[in-house]
Amino acid sequence: MPARQLAANCAAPGPIACRSCDLNEVCRLGGLIAFENARTRHSTGALRTVAAGAALFRTGAPANSLFAIRQGMLKSVHVNANGDERVLAIHIPGDVLGQEAFGLGTYASDAIALQPAVCCEVPLPFLGHQSTRSQELGMALVRLLSRGSVPQRHPGRGSARERVTTFLLDLAQRLERRGFDGRRFTLGLSRQELADLLDTRLETVSRTVQRLHRERAICVNGASVQMLSLASEPDSA
Amino acid sequence: MPARQLAANCAAPGPIACRSCDLNEVCRLGGLIAFENARTRHSTGALRTVAAGAALFRTGAPANSLFAIRQGMLKSVHVNANGDERVLAIHIPGDVLGQEAFGLGTYASDAIALQPAVCCEVPLPFLGHQSTRSQELGMALVRLLSRGSVPQRHPGRGSARERVTTFLLDLAQRLERRGFDGRRFTLGLSRQELADLLDTRLETVSRTVQRLHRERAICVNGASVQMLSLASEPDSA
DNA sequence: CGTTAATTTGAAAATTTTCAACGTGCGTGG
DNA sequence: CCACGCACGTTGAAAATTTTCAAATTAACG
């Protein structure tokens, strides 16, 4: 088995625990999680498997479902008329995708699996129907969507070095919050995709990553990353 | 009267029509708009006046209300520990602010008026109460928040020139959608703020803007901008 | 193993940043 | 009323960073 695939499991060693998922509350109030324990992680919702490189959904497609990532990582991308893609964000287990569905009726970006991924699919009609019954579900939905509209700073800010460190620190932090190891993980992204996300060139990303490696701030081996002494640097350096 | 203030009126010549506001549906279903016509634009909701440079709300403050901009422009900013600010976005009449309120309970950024502004304030408890009565209001709220969670590309992408043109074209388009003149408007932002938003330096912004002026793509006079032949340039140039 | 894709590295070109100076408009106070 | 200071914008030139183009190296996969 190739080293990269193996390492990929560091980021998603198994299905995320439902309790760490952003959709948890909505699922529960909607009556979707019948049972889950440490031994048997079942979901009563529909599961959808996505092969690496395949799309969970595409821009403009009728949006009928909300998704939560159960396993694997996905990227949100815009593909412009010329065919080149712009990575908007990457998503880890526990993240919710397709939140724009309610307002737009169609998805607003492509969601592409970076590794073999498994997503929980919650049909919108189901949510609509359930929320007529449960006042609480409606409010949970509002809270979920509200959290999604927090004005964010884009990772593509500052010097190339700042962009890379900010990205890595952010990813590490997010993984930790989901119960994964934030100090040792695998980048599901190629240098090109990373460059795209950070709004720079793949050569620049490569150089910057290598430099951080030389400085022993991180330990990189292809896609696998180990955080050693990486600290955010707001202005200095 | 200084020229800049005068020109500022181009962007917000008067209160926006409620029908062009993102909050319109929610207001209506909540029973807030008793009457509005071309002659008398009244709102039954509470109005809040914000002086230029003053804050509508601050990061971390308890979030009790949702706001819609009625007149004037505001910026969302993050202020870091060092005290320097990062402009996240600018908002024009009809935009809704404070959507993160439901999920977080506190505001996630500072909202600062760029000009004297008037905002409609809708208390969250009111919305909560009303939505227990109206199924429709709850759904409208979900749709509003859903539209706010569309994955966006940041304006600070590509070359300095692309950033400036993208920003101007986007702003023009948004103004048009709200019923204002997108071909002639006033930048509520200083060069510094613009540089901050576009993730570059004020000198670079100044040079780029002047260059577009020389090329007759736009006609700039301080803060007032007239779009002449500005077109988006995805890759070339 | 050999072939192909991905990554790393080098060096010149281009862009952006930095540092500094200059100009303008506006309010203040002589 | 006018000089002055101040904030803001513009402009210039050197320094720094990033991009580009090219080649070399490494990893992936049949």
Side-chain angles (χ1 to χ4, degrees):
Chain A
M1 184 183 276
R4 190 151 159 218
Q5 288 297 337
L6 194 65
N9 294 329
C10 295
I16 190 177
C18 281
R19 102 189 79 82
S20 303
C21 177
D22 279 347
L23 202 56
N24 181 244
E25 207 183 0
V26 166
C27 272
R28 198 154 31 75
L29 292 169
L32 280 180
I33 307 174
F35 50 90
E36 182 202 54
N37 60 51
R39 209 169 292 262
T40 59
R41 284 186 181 157
H42 294 293
S43 166
T44 53
L47 287 183
R48 172 110 165 251
T49 300
V50 192
L56 175 62
F57 53 74
R58 296 268 182 197
T59 306
N64 302 314
S65 299
L66 208 55
F67 297 95
I69 306 177
R70 199 170 158 73
Q71 190 172 165
M73 292 166 71
L74 289 92
K75 61 178 174 180
S76 285
V77 307
H78 271 173
V79 181
N80 69 17
N82 303 4
D84 31 54
E85 68 179 37
R86 197 98 278 201
V87 178
L88 301 171
I90 76 167
H91 309 282
I92 65 176
D95 287 349
V96 175
L97 297 178
Q99 292 166 32
E100 69 270 34
F102 296 99
L104 301 176
T106 56
Y107 296 111
S109 64
D110 292 10
I112 311 289
L114 297 169
Q115 303 130 17
V118 181
C119 300
C120 298
E121 177 168 4
V122 183
L124 260 45
F126 173 82
L127 276 182
H129 179 260
Q130 291 297 88
S131 62
T132 62
R133 309 178 164 277
S134 163
Q135 173 75 25
E136 291 230 44
L137 175 58
M139 290 173 67
L141 213 47
V142 165
R143 275 194 299 275
L144 170 69
L145 296 173
S146 175
R147 266 179 277 128
S149 5
V150 173
Q152 298 269 10
R153 65 161 172 271
H154 189 87
R157 280 189 163 281
S159 67
R161 189 198 167 101
E162 276 179 288
R163 296 179 199 203
V164 171
T165 57
T166 301
F167 170 78
L168 288 175
L169 287 166
D170 177 64
L171 181 56
Q173 191 179 28
R174 285 164 60 202
L175 286 170
E176 292 261 331
R177 263 208 303 270
R178 299 296 190 192
F180 298 110
D181 187 355
R183 292 158 315 172
R184 252 178 170 291
F185 55 89
T186 293
L187 237 41
L189 298 162
S190 70
R191 293 287 182 272
Q192 175 59 66
E193 288 169 320
L194 197 44
D196 208 29
L197 177 65
L198 302 182
D199 191 30
T200 181
R201 302 290 141 176
L202 86 176
E203 294 96 331
T204 305
V205 171
S206 182
R207 278 184 246 269
T208 308
V209 166
Q210 293 306 315
R211 185 168 150 218
L212 290 171
H213 182 92
R214 275 197 306 279
E215 294 176 8
R216 309 218 179 279
I218 59 177
C219 177
V220 191
N221 193 313
S224 89
V225 177
Q226 188 178 355
M227 308 291 271
L228 298 177
S229 64
L230 196 59
S232 77
E233 36 208 321
D235 300 275
S236 59
Chain B
M1 183 185 277
R4 188 149 161 222
Q5 288 296 335
L6 194 65
N9 295 329
C10 296
I16 191 177
C18 281
R19 103 189 78 83
S20 302
C21 177
D22 279 347
L23 202 55
N24 180 244
E25 207 183 1
V26 167
C27 271
R28 199 156 28 76
L29 293 169
L32 280 180
I33 307 172
F35 49 91
E36 183 202 54
N37 61 51
R39 209 168 293 262
T40 60
R41 283 185 182 160
H42 295 293
S43 167
T44 53
L47 288 183
R48 172 111 165 251
T49 300
V50 191
L56 177 61
F57 53 74
R58 295 269 182 196
T59 307
N64 301 314
S65 298
L66 208 55
F67 297 96
I69 306 177
R70 200 170 158 73
Q71 190 172 168
M73 293 167 69
L74 290 92
K75 61 177 175 181
S76 285
V77 307
H78 273 172
V79 180
N80 70 16
N82 302 4
D84 31 55
E85 67 180 38
R86 198 99 278 202
V87 178
L88 301 171
I90 76 167
H91 310 281
I92 65 176
D95 287 349
V96 174
L97 298 178
Q99 293 166 32
E100 67 270 35
F102 296 99
L104 300 177
T106 56
Y107 296 111
S109 65
D110 293 11
I112 311 289
L114 296 169
Q115 303 130 19
V118 181
C119 299
C120 298
E121 177 169 5
V122 183
L124 260 46
F126 173 82
L127 277 181
H129 179 260
Q130 290 297 89
S131 62
T132 62
R133 308 179 165 278
S134 162
Q135 174 76 25
E136 291 231 43
L137 174 58
M139 290 173 67
L141 212 47
V142 164
R143 275 194 299 275
L144 170 70
L145 296 174
S146 175
R147 267 179 276 130
S149 8
V150 173
Q152 298 270 9
R153 68 160 168 273
H154 189 87
R157 281 190 162 280
S159 66
R161 190 197 167 101
E162 276 178 289
R163 296 179 198 203
V164 171
T165 57
T166 302
F167 169 78
L168 288 176
L169 287 167
D170 176 66
L171 181 56
Q173 192 181 26
R174 285 165 59 202
L175 286 170
E176 293 262 331
R177 263 208 302 270
R178 299 294 191 191
F180 299 108
D181 186 354
R183 291 158 315 172
R184 253 177 170 291
F185 55 88
T186 294
L187 236 41
L189 297 162
S190 70
R191 293 287 183 272
Q192 175 59 64
E193 288 169 319
L194 196 45
D196 209 28
L197 178 66
L198 302 182
D199 193 30
T200 181
R201 302 291 141 176
L202 86 176
E203 293 96 331
T204 306
V205 170
S206 183
R207 278 185 246 269
T208 308
V209 166
Q210 292 307 315
R211 185 168 150 217
L212 291 171
H213 182 92
R214 275 198 307 278
E215 293 176 9
R216 311 219 180 279
I218 59 177
C219 177
V220 192
N221 193 312
S224 90
V225 176
Q226 188 178 354
M227 308 291 272
L228 297 177
S229 64
L230 196 58
S232 78
E233 35 208 324
D235 299 276
S236 58

